[in-house]
Amino acid sequence: MLKIYKKTIRIDGSGTHPRLESPPQSKLSSLLAIPAMIAGAILGTVVFSAFFALLLIPLAIIGIRGWWLLRKLKNAQVGDQSLEAEYTVVSDTSKNQKPTKE
């Protein structure tokens, strides 16, 4: 059911301020307005909560998975240990130097 309300502005020639007049409202519409607003608020809260839950659950799963991987990486690191080895630097100097003429 759709009702269209019409508001009329009447300007008197007497110089008084214009008045807005609205048609008289029925008592039934006044009685139904408050329960309709309460039902709308409840329904809006339920829809928002469902949307938030649908968004929150995947984000929580991704966050927990990321935290788990970071924890595994930290535990896999070698703590305060170093690798000791002997090495020899080998370089080919014949390519780097120009041949000298004697």
Side-chain angles (χ1 to χ4, degrees):
M1 182 172 129
L2 178 67
K3 282 190 174 183
I4 299 175
Y5 292 101
K6 177 182 171 187
K7 294 196 181 238
T8 309
I9 298 176
R10 291 188 186 177
I11 301 174
D12 294 336
S14 62
T16 60
H17 296 291
R19 303 184 304 175
L20 290 177
E21 291 182 7
S22 58
Q25 295 181 356
S26 68
K27 290 185 181 184
L28 180 63
S29 65
S30 298
L31 290 175
L32 292 177
I34 293 173
M37 285 189 278
I38 292 171
I42 292 171
L43 183 65
T45 304
V46 169
V47 169
F48 177 76
S49 298
F51 175 72
F52 187 70
L54 288 175
L55 183 67
L56 185 65
I57 290 171
L59 288 178
I61 291 170
I62 291 169
I64 290 170
R65 180 70 177 150
W67 169 79
W68 184 264
L69 289 173
L70 282 176
R71 193 173 73 102
K72 284 176 74 174
L73 281 174
K74 286 180 183 178
N75 289 340
Q77 289 178 351
V78 179
D80 295 334
Q81 293 182 359
S82 61
L83 180 63
E84 294 182 17
E86 292 184 24
Y87 62 94
T88 305
V89 176
V90 178
S91 63
D92 190 6
T93 57
S94 64
K95 291 182 180 177
N96 294 337
Q97 293 180 351
K98 293 182 181 178
T100 57
K101 295 182 183 177
E102 293 182 25

